[in-house]
Amino acid sequence: MKRRLFIFGLGYTAGYIANRLEPAGWEVVSTGRDGTLSFDDEGNVRMALADADHVLSSVPPGSEGLDPVLERYGDALAAKALSYLSSTGVYGDAEGAWVDESAPTGTGRRVARADADAAWLGRGARVYRLPGIYGPGRSIFERLAEGRAHRIDLPGQVFSRVHVEDIAAGVIAGLDAAPGAYNLADDEPCSQNRLVEEACALLGIAPPPMQSLEAANLSPMARSFYAENRRVANGKARRALGWQPRYPSFREGLRALRPR
């Protein structure tokens, strides 16, 4: 018998999950940019939810800080196996230290996300906390081509990342796992500068000049990423899910994505 997955928010990352499950015999119904149903089509959404074995949400909190899926369809999720794509931004600033799933949440700029994360955990979901996501069509190579790549003079600043294919592998490995939070991040956090330099070396071009944060003229959202500094540990996902990232560092990921 086919297993059925309902996805709230079929976008870039959730699309990779669906594309791996459908050939494995899963039936996938979804809302979102690339979905099969409108989020507001309540009758058909509820009908599809009733038949679903597992529900995955990648929908972020709304402008008022509320989770739109739980607000509208929370009553239809009882007794369902649940997964939620969250963010490692829930940990806030760790001044470059390592954080795992036992670290406190809700102290950083992503307060609404932390509240949604806690709400899904409270419902017994598998909550996947994701750092910077990259993959085909969404990598440093595109930013270099568009002139949007920067090297910022902030010694000690590091970021964690994860390839979108490794997210899909982790979520699928966790479909029947115990509820709880899982960090899906690669093994080697590094500065954005190191990432840019590695990509430029692969392309055989000079890296962009080093700039101060002020001189880079970043968007408010891009600038906000530099306000927090942490390394994200993935040991729990490796142990509990048997997850083995295909791209354990940015180096393997960039080599796979390098334009030909």
Side-chain angles (χ1 to χ4, degrees):
M1 180 182 296
K2 275 194 173 186
R3 297 182 72 181
R4 295 181 175 89
L5 172 68
F6 190 101
I7 297 177
F8 284 105
L10 186 72
Y12 183 72
T13 301
Y16 271 82
I17 298 168
N19 289 340
R20 289 185 62 159
L21 285 175
E22 287 175 323
W26 282 70
E27 179 182 339
V28 179
V29 181
S30 55
T31 70
R33 182 178 66 243
D34 303 317
T36 55
L37 292 174
S38 166
F39 182 83
D40 294 325
D41 185 359
E42 191 161 338
N44 282 321
V45 168
R46 288 182 175 276
M47 190 180 304
L49 284 172
D51 291 335
D53 301 299
H54 202 112
V55 177
L56 166 70
S57 176
S58 69
V59 179
S63 58
E64 297 180 355
L66 301 175
D67 187 291
V69 173
L70 296 181
E71 285 293 304
R72 187 156 188 177
Y73 295 109
D75 62 302
L77 303 181
K80 301 294 182 186
L82 304 175
S83 294
Y84 177 65
L85 302 187
S86 185
S87 165
T88 56
V90 301
Y91 295 121
D93 182 29
E95 298 182 344
W98 287 93
V99 294
D100 65 14
E101 293 83 354
S102 68
T105 63
T107 61
R109 59 189 171 83
R110 306 293 297 273
V111 174
R113 175 67 88 172
D115 288 345
D117 181 296
W120 282 93
L121 283 174
R123 286 176 172 265
R126 298 138 188 87
V127 172
Y128 300 96
R129 293 173 178 163
L130 311 176
I133 301 168
Y134 73 100
R138 292 194 182 185
S139 75
I140 189 61
F141 292 117
E142 284 74 30
R143 294 199 292 279
L144 283 166
E146 296 163 4
R148 296 189 296 110
H150 300 275
R151 288 195 302 156
I152 306 297
D153 188 13
L154 282 175
Q157 179 77 38
V158 295
F159 298 96
S160 288
R161 299 168 185 81
V162 65
H163 194 290
V164 67
E165 291 182 10
D166 286 330
I167 298 173
V171 172
I172 291 169
L175 286 172
D176 296 313
Y182 299 93
N183 292 337
L184 298 181
D186 72 18
D187 296 335
E188 194 171 331
C190 75
S191 69
Q192 183 71 1
N193 298 343
R194 182 71 187 87
L195 182 78
V196 171
E197 291 157 6
E198 181 76 12
C200 289
L202 289 171
L203 295 175
I205 62 175
M210 194 75 74
Q211 296 176 291
S212 69
L213 189 58
E214 291 71 25
N217 196 28
L218 300 176
S219 70
M221 178 174 289
R223 189 183 178 98
S224 71
F225 285 104
Y226 286 91
E228 296 177 352
N229 188 7
R230 60 183 166 265
R231 292 171 166 87
V232 178
N234 63 22
K236 181 182 177 182
R238 283 180 172 275
R239 293 189 304 272
L241 307 181
W243 179 66
Q244 297 289 332
R246 182 177 180 181
Y247 305 100
S249 82
F250 64 95
R251 285 182 292 274
E252 293 87 356
L254 290 184
R255 284 197 293 269
L257 294 170
R258 177 176 54 186
R260 306 300 178 187

